[in-house]
Amino acid sequence: MGLFDNFRQKKARTEAPLPERRTYQQKDGRPMQIRRPRSFADVEEIIDRLKDGLTVIVYLNELSAATAQRVTDILSGAIYALGGGVAELQKDMFLFTPDGVDAL
């Protein structure tokens, strides 16, 4: 049983609206995405984008303080393992960059 298996099962049973997903082009032509997770279960999809080498801006303002901290912790660990970087842009707004892209 993987870390996110329990969340996949719960996610499949509920009909919650999907978190906001937007894709933009950076100046160098690489895609960048914006995510607004609504629960800890949305973290897996954000990590998948980071594994794809995309820059992701994550807004945590729709989460409780405890959940926002958990999301920040897991994403920080994932980006560290992938060799990328993280920067806090403002309160509850983080920039996660893949390896080879400076995080400000």
Side-chain angles (χ1 to χ4, degrees):
M1 178 179 222
L3 175 65
F4 297 104
D5 289 343
N6 188 32
F7 296 114
R8 276 192 200 117
Q9 292 169 357
K10 288 181 183 177
K11 199 174 190 182
R13 283 185 246 153
T14 61
E15 296 274 336
L18 294 174
E20 178 181 336
R21 298 176 185 148
R22 293 187 182 170
T23 302
Y24 298 93
Q25 290 282 329
Q26 297 181 74
K27 289 181 182 178
D28 63 1
R30 296 174 65 170
M32 175 177 65
Q33 299 204 336
I34 295 177
R35 294 289 193 264
R36 294 180 185 270
R38 293 198 177 113
S39 71
F40 187 73
D42 297 328
V43 171
E44 182 178 11
E45 199 250 326
I46 296 170
I47 292 173
D48 288 341
R49 297 299 69 79
L50 296 171
K51 287 171 39 180
D52 291 340
L54 300 177
T55 297
V56 181
I57 295 175
V58 180
Y59 291 89
L60 302 173
N61 55 344
E62 296 181 19
L63 300 172
S64 68
T67 303
Q69 185 62 53
R70 288 180 66 206
V71 168
T72 303
D73 290 345
I74 194 82
L75 290 176
S76 296
I79 202 65
Y80 175 78
L82 295 169
V86 61
E88 184 174 14
L89 301 175
Q90 65 184 35
K91 183 180 179 340
D92 295 331
M93 182 179 167
F94 292 87
L95 173 71
F96 293 91
T97 58
D99 188 25
V101 178
D102 288 332
L104 302 180

